[in-house]
Structure formats: structure tokens, C-alpha cells
Amino acid sequence: QVQLVESGGGLVQPGGSLRLSCVASGSIFSINHMGWYRQAPGKQREWVATITSGGTTRYVDSVKGRFTISRDNAKNTVYLHMNSLKPEDTAVYYCNALIGAYAWSSYSNFWGQGTQVIVSS
């Protein structure tokens, strides 16, 4: 019953900014890692950023210094703040979370359905 829903995508000019959000809902006992992936036209899905339950972050080299991943555990939400956007950032962005539905259950990976980001003048 876990569901991830992304929002915040849209059109932005090069050099602009966007904030993506992803809310997890349903049968959730705990959330471990949360992250963002993206898939550009004609390319395979690419890992972008990850944040652990303790707040440790990692980024793909191409977005370091421009993107910031954060989370609000009370809201079961992960964010991706994107600054200094480039045309090559154009993609469908997907959120991902490692979630345990119950205290006795193992963690499973869940995916949202994506939100479109287009960077163009």
C-alpha cells in the first residue's frame, strides 16, 4: 500500500531553480534511504542523489554544488532543490525510498511515477 508521489516539476530557464517534492504514504513503519533518479530522452535512468535516515547526502558528480537533497521525516517527504539548472538536467525525475511497512518486515524499494523537468530558453 506504499505510494510515492512526486510534484514540483515544470519548465524553467537555464540558470533557474526548481524544488521537487516526494511524499510517501500508506503502510509505513520506517523509511531508510530516500533518493532521486532521472531519465532523459533516449537515455537510461540515472541516479542523482541520496539521503540517509541520518541526513547524510550523496550526489552524482554532474549535480554537485547545484542540487541539494533534504528530507522531512515528520512528513515522510524528500525534496530536491535544483539550482543553476542546465539544459542537460532535462529529464523525468523519479523519487525512490527504502521503506519498511512493519516493525517485523524487511525494507523494500518503492518508486514514484515521476515528474517532468524541462530546462530550456
Side-chain angles (χ1 to χ4, degrees), residues 9-112:
L11 299 171
V12 64
Q13 295 182 357
S17 300
L18 282 175
R19 187 187 75 167
L20 306 183
S21 300
C22 175
V23 181
S25 62
S27 299
I28 300 173
F29 177 78
S30 63
I31 303 178
N32 199 325
H33 292 62
M34 302 185 81
W36 290 92
Y37 289 70
R38 65 187 181 186
Q39 187 165 21
K43 297 184 178 180
Q44 295 187 359
R45 189 171 298 188
E46 171 192 35
W47 169 75
V48 176
T50 297
I51 184 167
T52 70
S53 59
T56 300
T57 59
R58 294 182 61 205
Y59 304 90
V60 66
D61 287 344
S62 61
V63 309
K64 287 181 179 177
R66 300 189 298 118
F67 290 12
T68 301
I69 187 171
S70 61
R71 64 193 289 169
D72 185 336
N73 292 330
K75 297 181 178 180
N76 290 336
T77 300
V78 62
Y79 304 95
L80 187 67
H81 295 260
M82 304 184 294
N83 299 315
S84 301
L85 283 162
K86 304 175 181 179
E88 50 262 46
D89 294 319
T90 296
V92 176
Y93 283 72
Y94 300 88
C95 68
N96 165 262
L98 190 63
I99 296 174
Y102 306 98
W104 57 87
S105 66
S106 60
Y107 288 100
S108 297
N109 265 310
F110 293 89
W111 293 87

